[in-house]
Structure formats: C-alpha cells, structure tokens
C-alpha cells in the first residue's frame, strides 16, 4: 500500500518569513541598532586616525602594520573564548564591559597624543587591549540579532546599510579632523562612541535564555569546534578568507594609506574609505530586496566587485576615480556580508551560535594580522604598488573560489528549503509518494 501523507517527516527549517504583523523597529532593535551604528562609526574612524598617527609619529608602514596586527591578532586569539563565555552566561553583560574597556583604551591614547609622543609599544599595548575587549564583544553582535528582531535577513540588511553609512562617514570625518585638527580628537570621539554603545546595550530588555553550565569550558570549546567542522560550507569559506586575509585585507590598509597619502594627501585616504562605505550602503540596500535561494553563491558573484579596491589603491588615479573604485568594491563586500551573516545565524542552532560564530570570526580574521605585520617588510622588498596589484588579482581568485567550491555554491537558504519541502510534501499528498522514499510506495 502507498504511504500516507500523515507519515511525511517534519519540514526542516523555520517558516518562510517573519510572523504576520511583525515589526522590525521594536524598542530592542532600535537600541541595538543605535549601539551598533554609533560603535561602527567610531571603529571606521580609528584605522584612518591610526594610520595617519603612525606616519606622523615616524613609525611608517611597519608601525601601522604592527599596531593593526596587534589589535587583530589579540582579537582573533581571544574571540573563541568570548563565544564560549557568551554561551555559558549571556553575551549582553560582556558586551557592555567590553565597551567600557574600549572607551578607556581609546581615551588614554587621545590623552597621550595631547601630552606628548606615544611610544610604539604604548600604541601596540592599547591595540592588544582593544582587540581582547572586541573579542568579548563580537560574538553577541551576531547572536543577539535573532533576539532583537523577527526577520534576521531584513535586520542584517539594515545593519549592513548602517555599517556602510558609518564606513562612509567615519573615514571622511576622520580625514577632515586629522587634516584640520589632530588625530587625538578622532580617538576622543571613538571613546565616546563606545560609551554611547554601552548605555544603549544596558537599556535592552531581553529574555534570559537558560545558560548551559553543565559542561566544562574545554567541552564547550570542543562542541563548538565539532559544530564548526561538521559544516563544509563554513570552513571552506574560512579557508578562502585565510588567503584573502594574508594577501589582501591585511596589507590593504597600511599599503593603501601609504599609496594614497603619498599621492593625494591625508584627507584623500579618508575620502576613499568613505566612498567604500557609500558602496556598502548600496550593497546593503540591494541585499534587503534581493534574497537569492543560494545566498553564498549570490554573495560570491558579488565579491567579483571587491578587487576594485586594491586595484584603485595601486593605480591611485584622480580622486573621483579612486573613490569610484572603492565604492564599487563596497557594493560587493556589503552584499556578500548580508548573505554570510544571515546564513550563519539561520543555519546554526541558537544554543551554539555564539561558539560557532567565535570560531568563524576568529578563523576568518586570524590571517589578517599576519598580512598586516608582513606588509611593511614586504613593501620594502617588492614595493607598495606591486603588492596592491597582486592583492587585486588574489581577491579575484578568492571570488572565483566562492562560486566554484561545491558546498559553498550549493547551500540553500533556510527558508527556501522549507518552501521546497512543502512543495515536495504537497506532491506526495497527490501521488502517494513519501518524500523520503525516493520512489513509489510499497504494495
């Protein structure tokens, strides 16, 4: 006899969309959005200010690489522990504490810049402290999104647009400030953004999910690793990001700053970074409306636009063309970012999301400080422009890898899988074929 429709297996994944009548702009999402936007505004000002400060203090490209590498390295090494702590307790308190530490660190650097000539070791030490604090902060930026919103895709798109606005405004403001006043003021503003972020997070009202403290930290780390390595699409992207981090993202800020400032001055570097942010705004807006059934494949095609950034930094055309290259790159980067964030948040179980996110973030970023530290010596051996041109070629290869690797290109959006499953079940109801049988029912 044929199988009954009632025997069909449960449908995978969540429903195709948010609950009817659900609003994105709730009180919690508004506070979370404000915290993220203000914090990102300060974050995007910092690399410009730090690059200009290192050059002004006489530390050169190597100094920029060491300072940024110290931040990224400490972040990448500690973010996994940040994810474990967030899963064992709750991410919100440690995010608030991290904001307080970062506020103090940036404020201290501003005071030292006013009072005298900061040593390279002081700057590196502050970068290490800031990186550790950010490692405690970062896991919650992903895991809190499903708690403060009903539609993660729309929320991530809005956050990506806001990040693009911050990336557009932050470097441009920083460029104007360092040209008109001093880098110390940029660090003062950065410290203030962390204070505002902490206050907004403190005002959130979230349900307290019961933490799992039944297992040791080592066991939690191992479970997070098992979740991470069991998903080939996840670690495949991280491997691609290792190549991108060492050869492109890591050297891009030190080399790009050196190339652009030498040709067009300090403010132009800020304007170029601001144009990248403008592109991120456009890419985020597109991502809100366009939701590919295979999100990582769609994001991979968008990443073919990213090489325009290192290419523009290498060629250093007139400022309008330079900004155009950075803007086009930002479109691709933001569209990919929305697809990736939503994929991780919807494919990973909520009770392990902090840990898996920590492995994902740590794995993707760990290569960047290596590229930053090597950028100074490598530029002395090969030159700034050849390294940037090589970075453009390598980033093109990474985009190609995203659309070629089967687990990445074949991953289906979670709600799209639910729609497909419903269609299969409906067909089974009509034909008497079980979705899991692979053929006709038994006699």
């Amino acid at each position: 006899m044929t199988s009954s429709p009632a025997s069909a297996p449960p449908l995978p994944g969540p429903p195709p969309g948010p609950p009817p009548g659900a609003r994105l702009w709730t009180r919690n999402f508004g506070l979370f959005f404000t915290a993220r936007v203000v914090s990102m505004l300060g974050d995007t000002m910092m690399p410009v200010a730090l690059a200009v400060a290192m050059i002004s203090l006489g530390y050169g490209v190597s100094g920029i690489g060491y300072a940024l590498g110290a931040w990224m390295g400490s972040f990448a090494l500690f973010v996994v522990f940040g994810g474990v702590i967030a899963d064992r307790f709750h991410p919100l308190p440690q995010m608030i504490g991290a904001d307080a530490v970062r506020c103090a660190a940036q404020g201290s650097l501003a005071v030292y810049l006013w009072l005298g000539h900061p040593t390279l070791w002081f700057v590196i030490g502050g970068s290490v402290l800031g990186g550790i604090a950010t490692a405690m902060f970062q896991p919650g930026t992903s895991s809190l999104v499903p708690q403060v919103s009903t539609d993660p895709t729309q929320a991530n798109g809005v956050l990506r647009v806001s990040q693009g606005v911050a990336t557009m405004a932050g470097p441009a403001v920083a460029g104007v400030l360092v040209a008109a006043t001093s880098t110390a003021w940029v660090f003062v503003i950065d410290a203030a953004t962390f204070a505002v972020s902490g206050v907004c997070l403190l005002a959130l009202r979230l349900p307290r999910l019961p933490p799992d403290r039944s297992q040791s930290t080592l066991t939690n780390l191992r479970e997070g690793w098992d979740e991470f390595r069991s998903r080939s699409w996840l670690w495949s992207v991280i491997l691609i990001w290792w190549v991108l981090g060492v050869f492109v993202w890591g050297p891009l800020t030190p080399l790009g700053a050196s190339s652009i400032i030498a040709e067009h001055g300090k403010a132009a570097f800020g304007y170029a970074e601001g144009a990248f942010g403008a592109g991120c705004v456009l890419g985020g807006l597109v991502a809100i409306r366009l939701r590919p059934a295979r999100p990582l494949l769609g994001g991979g095609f968008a990443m073919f636009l990213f090489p325009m950034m290192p290419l523009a930094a290498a060629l250093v055309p007139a400022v309008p063309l330079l900004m155009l290259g950075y803007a086009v790159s930002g479109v691709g980067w933001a569209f990919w970012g929305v697809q990736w964030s939503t994929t991780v948040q919807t494919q990973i179980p909520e009770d392990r999301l902090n840990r898996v996110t920590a492995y994902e973030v740590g794995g993707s970023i760990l290569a960047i400080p290596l590229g930053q530290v090597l950028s100074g010596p490598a530029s002395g051996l090969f030159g700034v422009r050849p390294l940037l041109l090589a970075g453009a070629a390598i980033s093109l290869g990474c985009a190609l890898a995203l659309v070629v690797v089967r687990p990445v290109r074949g991953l289906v959006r979670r709600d799209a899988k639910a729609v497909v499953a419903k269609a299969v079940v409906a067909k089974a109801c009509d034909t008497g074929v079980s979705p899991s049988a692979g053929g006709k029912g038994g006699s």
Side-chain angles (χ1 to χ4, degrees):
M1 53 186 295
T2 59
S3 57
S4 167
S7 66
L11 296 179
R23 294 187 303 115
L24 175 66
W25 291 101
T26 61
R27 176 184 180 276
N28 275 342
F29 184 74
L31 288 168
F32 183 78
F33 174 84
T34 302
R36 295 297 297 128
V37 169
V38 172
S39 180
M40 285 187 291
L41 180 65
D43 283 343
T44 55
M45 296 173 69
M46 191 270 290
V48 175
L50 191 60
V52 173
M54 292 296 97
I55 292 175
S56 300
L57 293 170
Y59 299 131
V61 174
S62 295
I64 302 172
Y66 295 149
L68 293 177
W71 188 95
M72 282 286 186
S74 57
F75 171 80
L77 290 174
F78 284 91
V79 69
V80 173
F81 295 96
V84 170
I85 295 171
D87 275 337
R88 286 179 66 86
F89 300 97
H90 195 279
L92 192 57
Q94 71 187 59
M95 293 173 74
I96 296 170
D99 272 336
V101 172
R102 294 189 291 180
C103 178
Q106 296 298 80
S108 299
L109 181 55
V111 171
Y112 204 156
L113 284 168
W114 272 324
L115 295 179
H117 190 284
T119 64
L120 181 59
W121 287 112
F122 180 85
V123 178
I124 291 176
S127 295
V128 169
L129 185 62
I132 294 173
T134 305
M136 299 297 107
F137 184 92
Q138 183 63 34
T141 62
S142 179
S143 63
L144 285 185
V145 170
Q147 297 185 46
V148 299
S149 66
T150 56
D151 185 351
T153 298
Q154 186 180 10
N156 282 315
V158 170
L159 290 169
R160 185 64 61 171
V161 169
S162 68
Q163 182 176 341
V165 173
T167 307
M168 174 178 61
V173 172
V176 172
L177 285 175
V178 297
T181 58
S182 69
T183 53
W185 278 109
V186 181
F187 290 108
V188 168
I189 295 173
D190 196 15
T193 63
F194 291 129
V196 173
S197 172
V199 170
C200 289
L201 293 174
L202 191 62
L204 284 176
R205 298 172 184 170
L206 298 178
R208 297 294 178 179
L209 299 177
D212 181 10
R213 303 177 191 173
S214 60
Q215 298 174 322
S216 66
T217 299
L218 183 61
T219 301
N220 285 329
L221 283 170
R222 186 170 61 249
E223 285 186 350
W225 173 251
D226 289 341
E227 287 284 342
F228 174 83
R229 70 183 179 89
S230 67
R231 292 167 169 81
S232 55
W233 60 268
L234 186 57
W235 56 258
S236 295
V237 171
I238 300 307
L239 289 177
I240 296 170
W241 243 244
W242 257 84
V243 177
L244 194 71
V246 172
F247 296 103
V248 186
W249 260 127
L252 188 54
T253 296
L255 297 178
S258 176
S259 176
I260 294 171
I261 291 173
E263 185 71 22
H264 296 302
K266 299 176 183 177
F269 179 58
Y271 298 151
E273 292 285 340
F276 179 78
C280 287
V281 172
L282 180 57
L285 290 172
V286 172
I288 292 174
R289 303 295 301 174
L290 182 61
R291 304 187 184 193
R294 296 185 180 185
L296 300 186
L297 178 63
F301 280 118
M303 280 294 291
F304 278 98
L305 301 177
F306 178 72
M308 291 300 298
M309 187 176 184
L311 181 63
L315 300 179
V316 201
V319 173
L321 288 177
L322 175 70
M323 294 174 64
L324 178 62
Y326 269 64
V328 170
S329 180
V331 173
W333 181 256
F335 189 86
W336 160 264
V338 172
Q339 307 309 318
W340 175 252
S341 297
T342 304
T343 299
V344 172
Q345 291 162 8
T346 56
Q347 297 282 343
I348 308 298
E350 186 176 2
D351 62 334
R352 300 184 181 185
L353 182 57
N354 286 304
R355 279 169 284 175
V356 175
T357 298
Y359 277 108
E360 172 253 318
V361 173
S364 60
I365 288 181
L366 192 58
I368 295 178
L370 178 60
Q372 290 170 331
V373 170
L374 294 177
S375 62
S379 65
L381 288 175
F382 304 106
V384 171
R385 183 177 180 182
L387 288 178
L388 288 169
L389 289 173
I394 291 170
S395 58
L396 188 64
C398 289
L400 180 63
L402 290 173
V403 301
V404 168
V405 175
R406 180 171 296 179
V408 178
R409 75 168 190 261
L411 186 70
V412 179
R413 195 175 75 237
R414 194 70 184 268
D415 57 352
K417 288 195 289 187
V419 172
V420 171
K422 285 184 177 181
V424 173
V425 171
K427 184 177 180 180
C429 294
D430 293 336
T431 63
V433 179
S434 171
S436 60
K440 294 181 179 179
S443 59

